[in-house]
Amino acid sequence: MASVKRKCLSFETKLQLIEEIENGHKMRSEICREHGIAPSSLSTFFRDKEKIRAAVEQGARKPKRQRSSRFEDVDKALMVWFTWARDTGAPISGPILKEKAEELAMEMGHIDCKISGGWLDRFKLRHGIELRTINSASPAKDWLVERKDILQDFEPQNVFRVVETGLFYECLPFQSLTSMGEGCRQRVSIVCAINMNGGEKLPLLVVGKFKQPLCFKGVNIHNLPATYKSSSKALVTSTLFEEWVRQLDRRFLLQGRPVALIVDSCGAHPQLSDLRAIKIFFGPSHSTSRSQPSESDQLIVQTFKTIYRTRVLRKFISSYEETEGAYSYFKMSLLDALLLAARSWDDLEQSTIQKFFQLACIAETDDKKVSNPSSSSTGDLESPAKQHLKELRKLLHKISVLTNIAVQLSAEEYVGMDGTIQAVEDNTLTDCDSVSTSGHQVTEEEPAVDCDSEIPTVTNKVCVQALEQVRAYVLQQTTCDTSALQHVMALEDTVHKMAKPTKRYRQAKIDSFFIPVQRK
């Protein structure tokens, strides 16, 4: 029998074959016949598809095998440093990369680690790095030229702006501005994304400290209205941002939409050149993780936080009245905060978003408005936030009367009390913060205590009974319209459909185990 020559495919080709089969474009037998591979090899591709996809996302598109380095910690630390240096725009050459690898190896105690030219070539091959000559004569594009290209190449509904902010999700107006900034653990970072015409708001990305919060136990995270991720400091890291962007890229690719994603220029926002549906542009604000948000970003962030704070105060008033004045019983879990934040994000008005894009010099508008955003039109731009602030002031006054506690903060101070906190990780990796000198990776441990508690398990029977009480409550009200009752009844129908059918087993008899004999 003639021997079949073994055929090796690159990671990129393997991933293309997997996607063709998963999307239903071709059959497995057809793929094997076209590329001359055995069915068992194709099955191996599917078994290792997550590893293959990860290798392609990390830049290893051309290699055919994933060969690990002997000193993996040095390899990983050098890649982190290279990503940061590339994102800051610093020119990197082979000798610079080699010198940095030697420095990291010495810091980690690997005296026997020899960084040769072959080691450097294999490092570049593993991570798909190509060192090219930089043409210093080509100037960076002006933002107005960049904006013109975006508006010509992309439809308004496909132009998204990304804004990040930090949030103290449990804070109340009784605490001072100073105490809120010192050691507050109840904080998250939030990534928002909206398109130019205001018709589409992407689900929020919420970053907390705990990988598996207690309040998430028993919760199907796929049913949550926002995406939750974790980092040691509750900050948006370059890894989390890249993972989030690649998920969006797959989503828009399936929808057949070319999308422009406008982000701020900072180390946590890496340049991803291998995206298939998304093209990343760096916006005009060029803010860093610690700087104040730009004037346009303030419009979205402050309006969102005003709506969120309003919902928090409503929850506090309800809890205060239910516990008959027990202030200490009020508790906001991370799950509560995520749900309130998602609801507040949905309530953001389309007109506010459209005016935000004009103020950010992204959407086309009058030249006078672009050149002087603080003109008389600014008052109109802030009007949605002022409407929400008016409602927030009423709630602050109600709380002051209800609790007999003087509210020291104004509505504006309460909304902006977390406006200066860091939301994005600083990737200034001068001394390799994420890598220890002893030769192993350091992972910052989460706080020992998760203050949240587990949510109780709710059966279908208990849920139906609770909805019956809600229906009775709505029917007894004089100020509710018929739509509220319709929503409750629709929810009842949904809960009934979700009920799992109970199996009834009947005890078997002795003659059930014998085969009846047919008499002739």
Side-chain angles (χ1 to χ4, degrees), residues 280 394 416:
I280 296 180
K394 292 181 181 179

Side-chain angles (χ1 to χ4, degrees), residues 296-447:
S296 58
D297 291 351
Q298 285 279 8
L299 175 64
I300 289 295
V301 170
Q302 297 302 327
T303 307
F304 162 71
K305 288 187 177 181
T306 303
I307 302 173
Y308 177 82
R309 303 284 189 221
T310 302
R311 293 184 179 277
V312 171
L313 292 188
R314 287 176 186 164
K315 183 178 177 64
F316 171 78
I317 293 173
S318 176
S319 174
Y320 190 86
E321 294 175 342
E322 183 180 347
T323 56
E324 299 180 355
Y327 163 74
S328 59
Y329 278 94
F330 177 72
K331 177 65 178 174
M332 275 274 296
S333 68
L334 181 58
L335 180 61
D336 294 332
L338 186 145
L339 296 175
L340 286 184
R343 182 62 177 166
S344 303
W345 181 240
D346 290 338
D347 288 347
L348 202 64
E349 296 87 352
Q350 184 175 2
S351 60
T352 303
I353 299 172
Q354 292 174 341
K355 294 172 183 177
F356 154 73
F357 273 92
Q358 294 176 4
L359 189 61
C361 297
I362 298 175
E364 289 182 335
T365 183
D366 222 355
D367 293 339
K368 295 181 179 180
K369 294 181 181 179
V370 174
S371 60
N372 186 18
S374 59
S375 60
S376 58
S377 64
T378 308
D380 297 334
L381 290 171
E382 295 175 350
S383 59
K386 287 183 177 179
Q387 294 174 3
H388 295 296
L389 277 173
K390 186 177 180 180
E391 183 180 0
L392 186 61
R393 291 191 187 99
K394 292 181 181 179
L395 291 176
L396 289 173
H397 178 70
K398 182 177 181 180
I399 287 178
S400 181
V401 174
L402 187 65
T403 62
N404 292 324
I405 300 176
V407 178
Q408 300 176 354
L409 302 179
S410 65
E412 291 81 1
E413 290 175 334
Y414 180 45
V415 170
M417 62 172 21
D418 48 14
T420 59
I421 67 171
Q422 186 177 355
V424 181
E425 184 182 53
D426 282 332
N427 283 350
T428 51
L429 207 64
T430 55
D431 53 354
C432 262
D433 298 333
S434 62
V435 181
S436 71
T437 57
S438 59
H440 63 276
Q441 184 180 2
V442 173
T443 56
E444 297 189 39
E445 294 184 358
E446 299 172 346

